[in-house]
Amino acid sequence: MAMAYSELEPLLMSVAVGAIVGLVNEYRKITGSRIFLGLRTSIFTSMLGYVFALLYEKAGYLLLGVAFISITVIAATIYVERARATRSLGATTYVSMFLVFASGILVGMGMYLQGTVISVLVAVLSFYKTQLLNAISRIRREELLALLNLLVISLVILPLLPDKFIGPLGIFNPYEFWFTVVVVAIIFFAQYVTLRVSKRGLLAFTIIGGLISSTTVTLSLIQLSNERREASRSLALNTLLSNVPLALIQVLAAIYFTTYSAQLAAIVAVPTMLIALVLTLLGAIKFKELSPTNIEPPSTPLPILRIVEFAVLLFIITSVAKAIGVLFPSLLPITIFVSALGNALGAVIAVGILYNRSIITLKVAAQLALLSLTAGVIEKAFLSLLSSSWSYRRLVIAGSAALGAFTAVLMYLLGVA
């Protein structure tokens, strides 16, 4: 019985992959769509593919050619007749027929996963056809250009760059530099999409942007505070909450993945996680205030110049910190602190590189990483002075001062101050 089932399993799978598409199309027929690829036709098409797959084992590749010629003739005949009757030249259903047929062949060859995935994708794309067209119709020209630019810099330019260190002292790696550009570009675009899709997406905008630069997020929030004074309190709370990804990602995650030192990460984890916990509790208490309505997205979906500037700044910070760590180690804390005021992530990466090269000790590395966190926190107080909203400035300055003092106390208690 077990053997009999194993022999029938491919046939049953071919029926299943056809039924997935057929059931969806039958539902679409009920709602008024004109589709010839219903339940029975879908199952017959996938089973036909299964039969050709069985015959392929006997006749080889020549039969696969015959198979696709056959399905082409069948689909073309139906397409012509339907086009005459309905005066519609849409070919989506006919392409679906080819894919269902191919799914049946894949199942017959034992590639169940590939056949099933194709069938599911055909069903999903068919079902959400209207929603996809509506979404596409709402895309603006600048958004499409931004998406195309993102694809170019990530899928075209990045693979072409050499992954090796060049230049004086071998400090520049073209691939690593451009990879930073790609990551920053993705996050900028994700921020834009968040506010574009949801007018209450300000908190997500803050957290996503804070993954790479809480400074950039703060400047964006300050600009919004000047335009939307009635939302100053919400924008100030978001500014303080941008310290959560600063602590967990830019400091804790960055120091670990730069050094892979569990001991160093354990020291840094205590202050960073406590700060994140305190801010998360604040966010939970004030959750309703965090995402006011009708906050417009940035005017540019993908600000290329700002993205490249960020990558250049990151490169300069790490390069200068490495040079000072070797030539003037006594000035390193000042250098890291000042660097972190502009880019905490770059400062922490520089600390990790110095630790990997045994230029600084474990204790010094932990001290400098937490010093970067402190700088990243208190810089928001200085940046808030750019806001014309007194309510925004007052809340950000008070919150940043409290968090900075809390970090300093934790550093002292841990013996790394």
Side-chain angles (χ1 to χ4, degrees), residues 219-253:
L219 292 174
S220 298
L221 294 172
I222 287 172
Q223 181 179 353
L224 288 172
S225 74
N226 292 331
E227 298 171 356
R228 296 282 305 275
R229 292 201 174 190
E230 74 280 5
S232 292
R233 183 176 176 82
S234 298
L235 295 167
L237 288 171
N238 273 273
T239 302
L240 295 176
L241 284 176
S242 69
N243 289 305
V244 174
L246 165 68
L248 296 181
I249 304 301
Q250 295 185 53
V251 178
L252 180 57

PDB file of all heavy atoms in Angstrom, residues 219-253:
ATOM      1  N   LEU A 219      17.483  65.113  12.507  1.00  0.00           N
ATOM      2  CA  LEU A 219      17.393  66.274  11.625  1.00  0.00           C
ATOM      3  C   LEU A 219      16.070  66.277  10.855  1.00  0.00           C
ATOM      4  O   LEU A 219      15.468  67.335  10.652  1.00  0.00           O
ATOM      5  CB  LEU A 219      18.585  66.279  10.659  1.00  0.00           C
ATOM      6  CG  LEU A 219      19.951  66.544  11.303  1.00  0.00           C
ATOM      7  CD1 LEU A 219      21.061  66.373  10.281  1.00  0.00           C
ATOM      8  CD2 LEU A 219      19.999  67.948  11.915  1.00  0.00           C
ATOM      9  N   SER A 220      15.623  65.091  10.416  1.00  0.00           N
ATOM     10  CA  SER A 220      14.340  64.997   9.721  1.00  0.00           C
ATOM     11  C   SER A 220      13.189  65.380  10.648  1.00  0.00           C
ATOM     12  O   SER A 220      12.260  66.097  10.249  1.00  0.00           O
ATOM     13  CB  SER A 220      14.134  63.578   9.182  1.00  0.00           C
ATOM     14  OG  SER A 220      15.118  63.240   8.235  1.00  0.00           O
ATOM     15  N   LEU A 221      13.254  64.912  11.897  1.00  0.00           N
ATOM     16  CA  LEU A 221      12.201  65.213  12.863  1.00  0.00           C
ATOM     17  C   LEU A 221      12.196  66.692  13.241  1.00  0.00           C
ATOM     18  O   LEU A 221      11.137  67.283  13.480  1.00  0.00           O
ATOM     19  CB  LEU A 221      12.371  64.342  14.107  1.00  0.00           C
ATOM     20  CG  LEU A 221      12.166  62.836  13.891  1.00  0.00           C
ATOM     21  CD1 LEU A 221      12.558  62.051  15.134  1.00  0.00           C
ATOM     22  CD2 LEU A 221      10.733  62.531  13.506  1.00  0.00           C
ATOM     23  N   ILE A 222      13.384  67.299  13.288  1.00  0.00           N
ATOM     24  CA  ILE A 222      13.468  68.735  13.575  1.00  0.00           C
ATOM     25  C   ILE A 222      12.798  69.532  12.454  1.00  0.00           C
ATOM     26  O   ILE A 222      12.054  70.492  12.710  1.00  0.00           O
ATOM     27  CB  ILE A 222      14.941  69.154  13.744  1.00  0.00           C
ATOM     28  CG1 ILE A 222      15.485  68.628  15.075  1.00  0.00           C
ATOM     29  CG2 ILE A 222      15.090  70.678  13.679  1.00  0.00           C
ATOM     30  CD1 ILE A 222      16.970  68.808  15.251  1.00  0.00           C
ATOM     31  N   GLN A 223      13.059  69.122  11.215  1.00  0.00           N
ATOM     32  CA  GLN A 223      12.425  69.793  10.079  1.00  0.00           C
ATOM     33  C   GLN A 223      10.904  69.682  10.167  1.00  0.00           C
ATOM     34  O   GLN A 223      10.173  70.654   9.928  1.00  0.00           O
ATOM     35  CB  GLN A 223      12.916  69.181   8.774  1.00  0.00           C
ATOM     36  CG  GLN A 223      12.333  69.842   7.528  1.00  0.00           C
ATOM     37  CD  GLN A 223      12.859  69.215   6.254  1.00  0.00           C
ATOM     38  OE1 GLN A 223      13.749  68.378   6.276  1.00  0.00           O
ATOM     39  NE2 GLN A 223      12.292  69.625   5.124  1.00  0.00           N
ATOM     40  N   LEU A 224      10.420  68.500  10.551  1.00  0.00           N
ATOM     41  CA  LEU A 224       8.977  68.312  10.711  1.00  0.00           C
ATOM     42  C   LEU A 224       8.434  69.155  11.859  1.00  0.00           C
ATOM     43  O   LEU A 224       7.313  69.669  11.786  1.00  0.00           O
ATOM     44  CB  LEU A 224       8.670  66.833  10.954  1.00  0.00           C
ATOM     45  CG  LEU A 224       8.828  65.894   9.755  1.00  0.00           C
ATOM     46  CD1 LEU A 224       8.694  64.447  10.199  1.00  0.00           C
ATOM     47  CD2 LEU A 224       7.783  66.215   8.688  1.00  0.00           C
ATOM     48  N   SER A 225       9.213  69.303  12.938  1.00  0.00           N
ATOM     49  CA  SER A 225       8.760  70.099  14.083  1.00  0.00           C
ATOM     50  C   SER A 225       8.603  71.572  13.707  1.00  0.00           C
ATOM     51  O   SER A 225       7.774  72.281  14.277  1.00  0.00           O
ATOM     52  CB  SER A 225       9.731  69.948  15.259  1.00  0.00           C
ATOM     53  OG  SER A 225      10.937  70.664  15.024  1.00  0.00           O
ATOM     54  N   ASN A 226       9.414  72.030  12.752  1.00  0.00           N
ATOM     55  CA  ASN A 226       9.287  73.408  12.285  1.00  0.00           C
ATOM     56  C   ASN A 226       8.053  73.593  11.400  1.00  0.00           C
ATOM     57  O   ASN A 226       7.505  74.694  11.317  1.00  0.00           O
ATOM     58  CB  ASN A 226      10.534  73.826  11.511  1.00  0.00           C
ATOM     59  CG  ASN A 226      11.765  73.933  12.413  1.00  0.00           C
ATOM     60  OD1 ASN A 226      11.632  74.234  13.610  1.00  0.00           O
ATOM     61  ND2 ASN A 226      12.933  73.688  11.869  1.00  0.00           N
ATOM     62  N   GLU A 227       7.642  72.501  10.738  1.00  0.00           N
ATOM     63  CA  GLU A 227       6.485  72.565   9.842  1.00  0.00           C
ATOM     64  C   GLU A 227       5.178  72.222  10.552  1.00  0.00           C
ATOM     65  O   GLU A 227       4.114  72.734  10.179  1.00  0.00           O
ATOM     66  CB  GLU A 227       6.687  71.604   8.669  1.00  0.00           C
ATOM     67  CG  GLU A 227       7.902  71.937   7.809  1.00  0.00           C
ATOM     68  CD  GLU A 227       8.203  70.844   6.805  1.00  0.00           C
ATOM     69  OE1 GLU A 227       7.502  69.806   6.840  1.00  0.00           O
ATOM     70  OE2 GLU A 227       9.129  71.013   5.988  1.00  0.00           O
ATOM     71  N   ARG A 228       5.259  71.327  11.550  1.00  0.00           N
ATOM     72  CA  ARG A 228       4.049  70.845  12.237  1.00  0.00           C
ATOM     73  C   ARG A 228       4.206  71.054  13.747  1.00  0.00           C
ATOM     74  O   ARG A 228       4.459  70.119  14.499  1.00  0.00           O
ATOM     75  CB  ARG A 228       3.849  69.348  11.927  1.00  0.00           C
ATOM     76  CG  ARG A 228       3.574  69.011  10.484  1.00  0.00           C
ATOM     77  CD  ARG A 228       2.124  69.302  10.126  1.00  0.00           C
ATOM     78  NE  ARG A 228       1.229  68.607  11.038  1.00  0.00           N
ATOM     79  CZ  ARG A 228       0.832  67.338  10.872  1.00  0.00           C
ATOM     80  NH1 ARG A 228       1.229  66.659   9.816  1.00  0.00           N
ATOM     81  NH2 ARG A 228       0.023  66.776  11.735  1.00  0.00           N
ATOM     82  N   ARG A 229       4.071  72.280  14.194  1.00  0.00           N
ATOM     83  CA  ARG A 229       4.304  72.570  15.612  1.00  0.00           C
ATOM     84  C   ARG A 229       3.304  71.868  16.522  1.00  0.00           C
ATOM     85  O   ARG A 229       3.609  71.580  17.675  1.00  0.00           O
ATOM     86  CB  ARG A 229       4.235  74.083  15.846  1.00  0.00           C
ATOM     87  CG  ARG A 229       5.385  74.844  15.198  1.00  0.00           C
ATOM     88  CD  ARG A 229       5.562  76.194  15.851  1.00  0.00           C
ATOM     89  NE  ARG A 229       6.727  76.865  15.331  1.00  0.00           N
ATOM     90  CZ  ARG A 229       7.246  77.972  15.852  1.00  0.00           C
ATOM     91  NH1 ARG A 229       6.688  78.499  16.932  1.00  0.00           N
ATOM     92  NH2 ARG A 229       8.305  78.541  15.328  1.00  0.00           N
ATOM     93  N   GLU A 230       2.106  71.629  15.996  1.00  0.00           N
ATOM     94  CA  GLU A 230       1.108  70.954  16.821  1.00  0.00           C
ATOM     95  C   GLU A 230       1.519  69.517  17.151  1.00  0.00           C
ATOM     96  O   GLU A 230       0.994  68.909  18.086  1.00  0.00           O
ATOM     97  CB  GLU A 230      -0.261  70.965  16.128  1.00  0.00           C
ATOM     98  CG  GLU A 230      -0.400  70.012  14.939  1.00  0.00           C
ATOM     99  CD  GLU A 230       0.212  70.531  13.653  1.00  0.00           C
ATOM    100  OE1 GLU A 230       0.841  71.609  13.690  1.00  0.00           O
ATOM    101  OE2 GLU A 230       0.079  69.855  12.623  1.00  0.00           O
ATOM    102  N   ALA A 231       2.484  68.963  16.383  1.00  0.00           N
ATOM    103  CA  ALA A 231       2.948  67.591  16.623  1.00  0.00           C
ATOM    104  C   ALA A 231       4.306  67.571  17.316  1.00  0.00           C
ATOM    105  O   ALA A 231       4.982  66.537  17.333  1.00  0.00           O
ATOM    106  CB  ALA A 231       3.033  66.832  15.297  1.00  0.00           C
ATOM    107  N   SER A 232       4.712  68.697  17.906  1.00  0.00           N
ATOM    108  CA  SER A 232       6.063  68.807  18.501  1.00  0.00           C
ATOM    109  C   SER A 232       6.319  67.757  19.573  1.00  0.00           C
ATOM    110  O   SER A 232       7.405  67.173  19.637  1.00  0.00           O
ATOM    111  CB  SER A 232       6.258  70.207  19.091  1.00  0.00           C
ATOM    112  OG  SER A 232       6.309  71.172  18.080  1.00  0.00           O
ATOM    113  N   ARG A 233       5.346  67.500  20.408  1.00  0.00           N
ATOM    114  CA  ARG A 233       5.537  66.526  21.482  1.00  0.00           C
ATOM    115  C   ARG A 233       5.762  65.125  20.914  1.00  0.00           C
ATOM    116  O   ARG A 233       6.669  64.401  21.357  1.00  0.00           O
ATOM    117  CB  ARG A 233       4.333  66.535  22.424  1.00  0.00           C
ATOM    118  CG  ARG A 233       4.479  65.596  23.617  1.00  0.00           C
ATOM    119  CD  ARG A 233       3.298  65.720  24.565  1.00  0.00           C
ATOM    120  NE  ARG A 233       3.396  64.764  25.650  1.00  0.00           N
ATOM    121  CZ  ARG A 233       4.122  64.924  26.744  1.00  0.00           C
ATOM    122  NH1 ARG A 233       4.824  66.041  26.912  1.00  0.00           N
ATOM    123  NH2 ARG A 233       4.144  64.004  27.693  1.00  0.00           N
ATOM    124  N   SER A 234       4.969  64.751  19.930  1.00  0.00           N
ATOM    125  CA  SER A 234       5.141  63.439  19.299  1.00  0.00           C
ATOM    126  C   SER A 234       6.503  63.330  18.621  1.00  0.00           C
ATOM    127  O   SER A 234       7.180  62.303  18.708  1.00  0.00           O
ATOM    128  CB  SER A 234       4.034  63.210  18.256  1.00  0.00           C
ATOM    129  OG  SER A 234       2.764  63.198  18.867  1.00  0.00           O
ATOM    130  N   LEU A 235       6.917  64.391  17.949  1.00  0.00           N
ATOM    131  CA  LEU A 235       8.206  64.383  17.254  1.00  0.00           C
ATOM    132  C   LEU A 235       9.361  64.315  18.249  1.00  0.00           C
ATOM    133  O   LEU A 235      10.371  63.655  17.999  1.00  0.00           O
ATOM    134  CB  LEU A 235       8.321  65.629  16.376  1.00  0.00           C
ATOM    135  CG  LEU A 235       7.305  65.699  15.221  1.00  0.00           C
ATOM    136  CD1 LEU A 235       7.276  67.093  14.611  1.00  0.00           C
ATOM    137  CD2 LEU A 235       7.627  64.652  14.168  1.00  0.00           C
ATOM    138  N   ALA A 236       9.221  64.975  19.385  1.00  0.00           N
ATOM    139  CA  ALA A 236      10.260  64.919  20.416  1.00  0.00           C
ATOM    140  C   ALA A 236      10.376  63.516  20.999  1.00  0.00           C
ATOM    141  O   ALA A 236      11.487  63.000  21.231  1.00  0.00           O
ATOM    142  CB  ALA A 236       9.947  65.933  21.517  1.00  0.00           C
ATOM    143  N   LEU A 237       9.231  62.881  21.254  1.00  0.00           N
ATOM    144  CA  LEU A 237       9.258  61.505  21.771  1.00  0.00           C
ATOM    145  C   LEU A 237       9.918  60.565  20.762  1.00  0.00           C
ATOM    146  O   LEU A 237      10.676  59.668  21.136  1.00  0.00           O
ATOM    147  CB  LEU A 237       7.832  61.045  22.081  1.00  0.00           C
ATOM    148  CG  LEU A 237       7.159  61.681  23.311  1.00  0.00           C
ATOM    149  CD1 LEU A 237       5.691  61.293  23.374  1.00  0.00           C
ATOM    150  CD2 LEU A 237       7.889  61.260  24.587  1.00  0.00           C
ATOM    151  N   ASN A 238       9.633  60.765  19.480  1.00  0.00           N
ATOM    152  CA  ASN A 238      10.275  59.953  18.449  1.00  0.00           C
ATOM    153  C   ASN A 238      11.781  60.186  18.417  1.00  0.00           C
ATOM    154  O   ASN A 238      12.555  59.254  18.200  1.00  0.00           O
ATOM    155  CB  ASN A 238       9.662  60.268  17.074  1.00  0.00           C
ATOM    156  CG  ASN A 238       8.433  59.442  16.783  1.00  0.00           C
ATOM    157  OD1 ASN A 238       8.516  58.328  16.282  1.00  0.00           O
ATOM    158  ND2 ASN A 238       7.277  59.975  17.144  1.00  0.00           N
ATOM    159  N   THR A 239      12.199  61.417  18.633  1.00  0.00           N
ATOM    160  CA  THR A 239      13.628  61.723  18.673  1.00  0.00           C
ATOM    161  C   THR A 239      14.308  60.946  19.792  1.00  0.00           C
ATOM    162  O   THR A 239      15.389  60.368  19.598  1.00  0.00           O
ATOM    163  CB  THR A 239      13.844  63.230  18.872  1.00  0.00           C
ATOM    164  OG1 THR A 239      13.211  63.946  17.807  1.00  0.00           O
ATOM    165  CG2 THR A 239      15.327  63.566  18.898  1.00  0.00           C
ATOM    166  N   LEU A 240      13.694  60.909  20.951  1.00  0.00           N
ATOM    167  CA  LEU A 240      14.270  60.163  22.073  1.00  0.00           C
ATOM    168  C   LEU A 240      14.258  58.659  21.796  1.00  0.00           C
ATOM    169  O   LEU A 240      15.211  57.946  22.125  1.00  0.00           O
ATOM    170  CB  LEU A 240      13.503  60.467  23.360  1.00  0.00           C
ATOM    171  CG  LEU A 240      13.599  61.917  23.869  1.00  0.00           C
ATOM    172  CD1 LEU A 240      12.726  62.119  25.099  1.00  0.00           C
ATOM    173  CD2 LEU A 240      15.055  62.270  24.193  1.00  0.00           C
ATOM    174  N   LEU A 241      13.198  58.175  21.153  1.00  0.00           N
ATOM    175  CA  LEU A 241      13.111  56.741  20.856  1.00  0.00           C
ATOM    176  C   LEU A 241      14.078  56.308  19.765  1.00  0.00           C
ATOM    177  O   LEU A 241      14.375  55.117  19.633  1.00  0.00           O
ATOM    178  CB  LEU A 241      11.685  56.377  20.451  1.00  0.00           C
ATOM    179  CG  LEU A 241      10.676  56.286  21.606  1.00  0.00           C
ATOM    180  CD1 LEU A 241       9.283  56.021  21.085  1.00  0.00           C
ATOM    181  CD2 LEU A 241      11.075  55.209  22.595  1.00  0.00           C
ATOM    182  N   SER A 242      14.615  57.258  18.994  1.00  0.00           N
ATOM    183  CA  SER A 242      15.633  56.890  18.007  1.00  0.00           C
ATOM    184  C   SER A 242      16.907  56.397  18.674  1.00  0.00           C
ATOM    185  O   SER A 242      17.783  55.821  18.020  1.00  0.00           O
ATOM    186  CB  SER A 242      15.946  58.084  17.099  1.00  0.00           C
ATOM    187  OG  SER A 242      16.629  59.112  17.807  1.00  0.00           O
ATOM    188  N   ASN A 243      17.002  56.599  19.997  1.00  0.00           N
ATOM    189  CA  ASN A 243      18.150  56.067  20.749  1.00  0.00           C
ATOM    190  C   ASN A 243      18.064  54.558  20.961  1.00  0.00           C
ATOM    191  O   ASN A 243      19.057  53.939  21.333  1.00  0.00           O
ATOM    192  CB  ASN A 243      18.257  56.758  22.111  1.00  0.00           C
ATOM    193  CG  ASN A 243      18.705  58.197  22.002  1.00  0.00           C
ATOM    194  OD1 ASN A 243      19.749  58.479  21.413  1.00  0.00           O
ATOM    195  ND2 ASN A 243      17.912  59.113  22.541  1.00  0.00           N
ATOM    196  N   VAL A 244      16.877  53.974  20.724  1.00  0.00           N
ATOM    197  CA  VAL A 244      16.756  52.511  20.870  1.00  0.00           C
ATOM    198  C   VAL A 244      17.575  51.787  19.800  1.00  0.00           C
ATOM    199  O   VAL A 244      18.434  50.962  20.126  1.00  0.00           O
ATOM    200  CB  VAL A 244      15.275  52.074  20.838  1.00  0.00           C
ATOM    201  CG1 VAL A 244      15.171  50.548  20.830  1.00  0.00           C
ATOM    202  CG2 VAL A 244      14.535  52.641  22.041  1.00  0.00           C
ATOM    203  N   PRO A 245      17.343  52.063  18.495  1.00  0.00           N
ATOM    204  CA  PRO A 245      18.226  51.430  17.500  1.00  0.00           C
ATOM    205  C   PRO A 245      19.664  51.912  17.600  1.00  0.00           C
ATOM    206  O   PRO A 245      20.591  51.173  17.256  1.00  0.00           O
ATOM    207  CB  PRO A 245      17.597  51.826  16.154  1.00  0.00           C
ATOM    208  CG  PRO A 245      16.744  53.001  16.442  1.00  0.00           C
ATOM    209  CD  PRO A 245      16.255  52.836  17.843  1.00  0.00           C
ATOM    210  N   LEU A 246      19.881  53.140  18.083  1.00  0.00           N
ATOM    211  CA  LEU A 246      21.248  53.620  18.312  1.00  0.00           C
ATOM    212  C   LEU A 246      21.966  52.697  19.290  1.00  0.00           C
ATOM    213  O   LEU A 246      23.104  52.257  19.045  1.00  0.00           O
ATOM    214  CB  LEU A 246      21.219  55.049  18.864  1.00  0.00           C
ATOM    215  CG  LEU A 246      22.531  55.564  19.480  1.00  0.00           C
ATOM    216  CD1 LEU A 246      23.588  55.742  18.399  1.00  0.00           C
ATOM    217  CD2 LEU A 246      22.305  56.873  20.231  1.00  0.00           C
ATOM    218  N   ALA A 247      21.309  52.389  20.409  1.00  0.00           N
ATOM    219  CA  ALA A 247      21.930  51.554  21.439  1.00  0.00           C
ATOM    220  C   ALA A 247      22.067  50.098  21.010  1.00  0.00           C
ATOM    221  O   ALA A 247      23.143  49.493  21.139  1.00  0.00           O
ATOM    222  CB  ALA A 247      21.120  51.646  22.736  1.00  0.00           C
ATOM    223  N   LEU A 248      20.979  49.527  20.461  1.00  0.00           N
ATOM    224  CA  LEU A 248      20.974  48.086  20.166  1.00  0.00           C
ATOM    225  C   LEU A 248      21.688  47.726  18.865  1.00  0.00           C
ATOM    226  O   LEU A 248      22.324  46.668  18.781  1.00  0.00           O
ATOM    227  CB  LEU A 248      19.527  47.580  20.107  1.00  0.00           C
ATOM    228  CG  LEU A 248      18.726  47.666  21.403  1.00  0.00           C
ATOM    229  CD1 LEU A 248      17.333  47.105  21.202  1.00  0.00           C
ATOM    230  CD2 LEU A 248      19.439  46.931  22.533  1.00  0.00           C
ATOM    231  N   ILE A 249      21.585  48.574  17.856  1.00  0.00           N
ATOM    232  CA  ILE A 249      22.142  48.253  16.542  1.00  0.00           C
ATOM    233  C   ILE A 249      23.478  48.948  16.303  1.00  0.00           C
ATOM    234  O   ILE A 249      24.493  48.292  16.029  1.00  0.00           O
ATOM    235  CB  ILE A 249      21.152  48.638  15.420  1.00  0.00           C
ATOM    236  CG1 ILE A 249      19.804  47.953  15.653  1.00  0.00           C
ATOM    237  CG2 ILE A 249      21.734  48.250  14.052  1.00  0.00           C
ATOM    238  CD1 ILE A 249      19.853  46.448  15.694  1.00  0.00           C
ATOM    239  N   GLN A 250      23.491  50.284  16.418  1.00  0.00           N
ATOM    240  CA  GLN A 250      24.699  51.026  16.092  1.00  0.00           C
ATOM    241  C   GLN A 250      25.827  50.803  17.088  1.00  0.00           C
ATOM    242  O   GLN A 250      27.002  50.980  16.740  1.00  0.00           O
ATOM    243  CB  GLN A 250      24.389  52.519  15.999  1.00  0.00           C
ATOM    244  CG  GLN A 250      23.455  52.883  14.870  1.00  0.00           C
ATOM    245  CD  GLN A 250      23.285  54.381  14.752  1.00  0.00           C
ATOM    246  OE1 GLN A 250      24.246  55.126  14.663  1.00  0.00           O
ATOM    247  NE2 GLN A 250      22.044  54.824  14.770  1.00  0.00           N
ATOM    248  N   VAL A 251      25.485  50.453  18.313  1.00  0.00           N
ATOM    249  CA  VAL A 251      26.528  50.235  19.324  1.00  0.00           C
ATOM    250  C   VAL A 251      26.700  48.752  19.638  1.00  0.00           C
ATOM    251  O   VAL A 251      27.751  48.174  19.364  1.00  0.00           O
ATOM    252  CB  VAL A 251      26.223  51.027  20.614  1.00  0.00           C
ATOM    253  CG1 VAL A 251      27.291  50.744  21.675  1.00  0.00           C
ATOM    254  CG2 VAL A 251      26.173  52.527  20.310  1.00  0.00           C
ATOM    255  N   LEU A 252      25.662  48.114  20.178  1.00  0.00           N
ATOM    256  CA  LEU A 252      25.806  46.730  20.629  1.00  0.00           C
ATOM    257  C   LEU A 252      26.051  45.769  19.477  1.00  0.00           C
ATOM    258  O   LEU A 252      27.029  45.012  19.468  1.00  0.00           O
ATOM    259  CB  LEU A 252      24.564  46.317  21.418  1.00  0.00           C
ATOM    260  CG  LEU A 252      24.561  44.872  21.968  1.00  0.00           C
ATOM    261  CD1 LEU A 252      25.772  44.632  22.853  1.00  0.00           C
ATOM    262  CD2 LEU A 252      23.263  44.598  22.716  1.00  0.00           C
ATOM    263  N   ALA A 253      25.153  45.786  18.478  1.00  0.00           N
ATOM    264  CA  ALA A 253      25.318  44.870  17.339  1.00  0.00           C
ATOM    265  C   ALA A 253      26.581  45.183  16.555  1.00  0.00           C
ATOM    266  O   ALA A 253      27.311  44.274  16.139  1.00  0.00           O
ATOM    267  CB  ALA A 253      24.090  44.944  16.426  1.00  0.00           C
TER     268      ALA A 253
END
